[in-house]
Amino acid sequence: MPCKLLNLCEYETHKLVRIQSVRLGSLKWTFNGVILMFICIMMLWNKEYQEHDYVVSSVTAKVKGVALTSLPDVGDIVWDVVDYSEPSQGKNSFFVVTNVIVTKKQRQGKCPEVPPYGKVCRTDEDCVKGFWDQHSHGVQTGACVKFDVTRKTCEVSAWCPIETKKKPPKPALLASAENFTVLIKNNIRFPNFNFMRRNILPEMTESYLKRCQFNRHTDPSCPIFRLGDIVKEAKENFSEMAVEGGVIGIQIKWDCNLDGFLRNCQPKYSFRRLDEKESNRTLYPGLNFRFARYQTEKGVEERTLFKAFGIRFDVMVFGKAGKFSIIQLIIFIGSTLSYYALTTVFIDWLIGTSCYSKEARQNYSEKKVESVQDRQQCILCVSFVDENHIRVVKRSHKKSLQQVKPISVHPCKLTLLSSCLLYSKSDDTGHLSAMVGVLQKGNNIVDKPPQVLPRPSLPAWCLCGCCLPSTHPQEQLCCRQSIGRCITTSSLFEQLVLSRPLLDAVLLYREPLSDLTEGEQRIAALRNCSYRQYISWRIGAPPRESIPVMPSCSVWRIREEYPSQEGEYTV
């Protein structure tokens, strides 16, 4: 199609095929109703009519509780929030000590390294002065000293005595920490909606916060949590976890609806363990770190070393808020309209199955599908007198048209019209009326003896005995598929194709004021009219995008009846 400026002012639309069927119509509306119901349910369930924004939040935590422990060689120690709650080890997290290994009265000095970190030696030559590695507790002095009754190790400059215990005590020294409580304050904001809220809800009073404690069933909104309940909600045992420590995740989810009277924005809490809890499946189980408390004894600095095991609580905040938006609603409706195509796909498939007869399927296909052939391909249609259908074939430049296999066949639909067998699909009903009128004026159909001029030679593809040779493959076509009588010997051929009165009537019907004077131009008009008569008789309206082709015998019989003076024929 050439590109023209006027093409911008054109409008194109789809062609529809309407099938008058109660069954298919009912099926269509049933499917459309189911699809509409599905779309409405999904829209309401997922709130697809809303615009969404994600949460921006900050978290602070305040732990409370006191514990009393009795440590060997140390005595009773009271642990308050300053002792067991070390500074946060990360954003939105807090740590609570649950177990300790204590090494007291350490001083700067020289002492044997502890195996397996210290090298076992026999003489001073086995030790290297100034050597250390990532596992050492100090720097080697170059001396080999006695560690115990059976072993010697390299001496190091370090805080002595060196920590020797490897495994934490069981049960945990601060197992009572499960009764500690933590107040979590979470402030959130949805920037797109300029909406702010915190987990301490407006209806919560000071007296309520002093006595409330989170419970999944009785008080799910309280921001004060018992540590034992948190671990239990994570499906863990606090006493077991307190021995080596671990990491617990506290998840706060905000799912907010900001639409008018449906407004709802409250937090929901959930808990889970984040680290690997099996000691035998990981090299470094639990969670621990070291800290020291320093003092001066007789002018010498000392320290008490604590290896602290505990639980770190990571507070993670997730959230999304939704608010009605006409734009989002339109987008959702537009995106779901394509679902209605499923109805068309299903019904088209149903029609193509054995639920419908072959004739009904073909009729529907012809009405629905319009085939357009490539311009480089020439599609021809032919009709044989000994077959009751029309063949559609591709033009071949090498093979005789008589031998080309059809790409499709179309049934011939004949009707009896005024004692003449005429094709009901003729493209010119006036043309048919003119033929009938002439035949009714006394030109009765009589079976005359065949009058056929002898042919000098018959081509191999001719089966009727009346065709002439041709060098063009598309002209090598006989009127039959099997050996038999030629169609040109039929009296009906004489009456419908060659009859001069009939041809004159048809020409006058088309051009009432045409000149009937004899001459070359008049003969050419009669010859072309005979061609059309044959095509209307034997082919009717040809299949879409196909060109009708006449057999050689019929073409030359017409040319013999209405010859050209120069002997040249364009058609």
Side-chain angles (χ1 to χ4, degrees):
M1 180 178 178
C3 182
K4 298 181 180 179
L5 185 61
L6 292 177
N7 292 344
L8 299 176
C9 301
E10 295 179 352
Y11 173 73
E12 298 178 355
T13 187
H14 296 287
K15 178 182 178 181
L16 299 178
V17 177
R18 180 174 296 170
I19 303 177
Q20 303 292 342
S21 171
V22 175
R23 180 170 57 173
L24 292 181
S26 302
L27 189 62
K28 180 192 76 170
W29 287 113
T30 300
F31 263 86
N32 287 345
V34 172
I35 292 173
L36 178 61
M37 183 172 63
F38 172 77
I39 292 173
C40 293
I41 292 174
M42 294 301 297
M43 180 181 68
L44 297 175
W45 184 267
N46 295 326
K47 298 182 176 63
E48 297 290 350
Y49 54 85
Q50 290 184 334
E51 177 186 2
H52 295 98
D53 189 21
Y54 292 93
V55 69
V56 177
S57 75
S58 64
V59 174
T60 58
K62 188 174 183 180
V63 183
K64 287 186 176 182
V66 179
L68 176 65
T69 61
S70 180
L71 300 179
D73 301 327
V74 177
D76 294 339
I77 297 180
V78 175
W79 298 76
D80 62 10
V81 66
V82 177
D83 299 314
Y84 60 70
S85 183
E86 293 297 321
S88 174
Q89 296 184 346
K91 182 181 179 182
N92 297 345
S93 66
F94 61 93
F95 182 86
V96 176
V97 177
T98 57
N99 208 359
V100 291
I101 296 176
V102 180
T103 305
K104 66 175 185 175
K105 294 185 178 181
Q106 284 188 324
R107 295 184 178 186
Q108 291 276 358
K110 298 178 181 180
C111 53
E113 180 65 283
V114 177
Y117 305 110
K119 182 180 179 181
V120 177
C121 60
R122 293 184 178 181
T123 64
D124 292 346
E125 294 179 355
D126 295 331
C127 302
V128 180
K129 185 177 182 179
F131 176 81
W132 67 275
D133 60 25
Q134 63 268 31
H135 300 297
S136 301
H137 290 93
V139 180
Q140 293 185 13
T141 62
C144 182
V145 297
K146 185 177 181 180
F147 175 74
D148 55 23
V149 178
T150 60
R151 292 176 295 178
K152 287 183 176 182
T153 60
C154 294
E155 184 183 55
V156 293
S157 296
W159 285 93
C160 301
I162 295 174
E163 178 186 83
T164 57
K165 292 183 179 180
K166 300 297 183 293
K167 293 186 178 181
K170 290 184 180 182
L173 297 177
L174 276 79
S176 60
E178 67 175 323
N179 295 315
F180 296 172
T181 60
V182 58
L183 169 63
I184 298 177
K185 294 184 288 184
N186 177 211
N187 295 277
I188 65 163
R189 180 170 180 263
F190 296 103
N192 288 352
F193 305 132
N194 195 26
F195 179 83
M196 300 180 65
R197 176 152 288 195
R198 61 176 184 164
N199 64 332
I200 302 178
L201 303 177
E203 60 269 17
M204 294 181 180
T205 62
E206 184 177 357
S207 61
Y208 167 78
L209 292 175
K210 286 182 179 181
R211 58 179 171 79
C212 84
Q213 193 171 98
F214 175 84
N215 184 283
R216 175 71 62 189
H217 305 288
T218 60
D219 203 351
S221 299
C222 180
I224 299 176
F225 303 85
R226 179 177 170 270
L227 299 188
D229 293 339
I230 293 177
V231 176
K232 184 178 180 181
E233 286 280 343
K235 296 180 174 55
E236 298 291 338
N237 185 289
F238 189 93
S239 299
E240 295 177 359
M241 190 174 183
V243 175
E244 293 182 324
V247 183
I248 293 290
I250 302 175
Q251 298 174 328
I252 306 177
K253 183 178 180 181
W254 295 84
D255 190 4
C256 299
N257 186 355
L258 305 183
D259 287 337
F261 63 92
L262 297 176
R263 175 168 293 197
N264 178 37
C265 192
Q266 291 190 352
K268 293 182 179 180
Y269 301 96
S270 60
F271 312 90
R272 61 186 297 262
R273 184 163 185 172
L274 302 179
D275 67 315
E276 176 59 63
K277 67 178 180 178
E278 298 294 338
S279 299
N280 59 346
R281 292 172 58 184
T282 179
L283 292 176
Y284 303 101
L287 179 64
N288 64 78
F289 68 95
R290 291 176 174 85
F291 67 94
R293 292 176 180 174
Y294 295 86
Q295 65 272 352
T296 302
E297 183 73 24
K298 297 180 180 180
V300 179
E301 186 180 32
E302 293 182 352
R303 76 177 187 183
T304 301
L305 178 65
F306 294 86
K307 183 178 181 181
F309 298 82
I311 303 175
R312 191 182 76 196
F313 296 87
D314 292 342
V315 183
M316 297 170 287
V317 183
F318 308 91
K320 184 174 70 172
K323 194 173 185 179
F324 177 80
S325 171
I326 187 64
I327 296 177
Q328 292 298 321
L329 179 60
I330 293 174
I331 292 175
F332 175 76
I333 293 175
S335 64
T336 55
L337 289 178
S338 59
Y339 292 164
Y340 287 101
L342 296 174
T343 301
T344 303
V345 172
F346 177 77
I347 294 180
D348 286 350
W349 171 83
L350 190 64
I351 294 175
T353 62
S354 57
C355 295
Y356 283 81
S357 63
K358 182 178 179 181
E359 292 77 10
R361 295 199 302 268
Q362 184 171 357
N363 182 49
Y364 173 73
S365 178
E366 291 177 354
K367 292 291 192 298
K368 179 178 175 63
V369 181
E370 181 177 351
S371 299
V372 178
Q373 301 295 337
D374 190 347
R375 288 182 176 271
Q376 296 179 355
Q377 295 183 350
C378 184
I379 305 300
L380 309 176
C381 68
V382 298
S383 174
F384 296 105
V385 70
D386 51 352
E387 291 183 349
N388 60 351
H389 55 255
I390 299 172
R391 296 188 179 196
V392 176
V393 299
K394 288 184 179 180
R395 178 179 179 179
S396 175
H397 296 281
K398 298 180 179 180
K399 187 182 294 186
S400 167
L401 187 59
Q402 181 77 15
Q403 300 172 348
V404 176
K405 293 183 178 181
I407 58 177
S408 65
V409 293
H410 299 261
C412 294
K413 298 181 180 179
L414 301 176
T415 181
L416 188 64
L417 179 59
S418 299
S419 302
C420 296
L421 288 174
L422 300 174
Y423 278 81
S424 62
K425 285 190 175 180
S426 176
D427 56 350
D428 190 347
T429 56
H431 175 195
L432 296 179
S433 301
M435 291 191 294
V436 172
V438 172
L439 291 175
Q440 286 178 340
K441 292 181 180 180
N443 295 323
N444 296 326
I445 300 174
V446 180
D447 191 9
K448 299 178 181 180
Q451 298 179 0
V452 181
L453 297 178
R455 303 300 184 191
S457 61
L458 293 177
W461 45 267
C462 178
L463 300 174
C464 68
C466 299
C467 299
L468 290 179
S470 175
T471 58
H472 301 289
Q474 65 272 18
E475 294 180 358
Q476 297 174 2
L477 179 67
C478 182
C479 64
R480 302 184 63 89
Q481 268 289 301
S482 58
I483 298 176
R485 182 181 173 185
C486 182
I487 193 173
T488 59
T489 64
S490 167
S491 298
L492 196 59
F493 184 88
E494 296 286 338
Q495 296 290 328
L496 296 179
V497 179
L498 299 179
S499 173
R500 179 66 176 266
L502 178 63
L503 298 180
D504 287 338
V506 172
L507 290 175
L508 286 174
Y509 175 81
R510 292 181 180 273
E511 298 180 14
L513 301 180
S514 61
D515 187 7
L516 298 180
T517 306
E518 294 291 335
E520 178 64 23
Q521 186 176 2
R522 183 63 180 175
I523 297 298
L526 291 171
R527 184 169 60 249
N528 292 334
C529 185
S530 294
Y531 293 151
R532 289 195 299 270
Q533 286 291 102
Y534 182 87
I535 292 174
S536 297
W537 174 37
R538 296 302 308 157
I539 297 179
R544 193 179 299 273
E545 301 294 332
S546 64
I547 301 174
V549 180
M550 292 176 58
S552 173
C553 53
S554 300
V555 171
W556 285 106
R557 181 68 184 90
I558 293 173
R559 289 177 179 177
E560 290 168 355
E561 188 73 18
Y562 302 104
S564 170
Q565 293 182 358
E566 290 82 6
E568 296 181 358
Y569 301 93
T570 56
V571 292

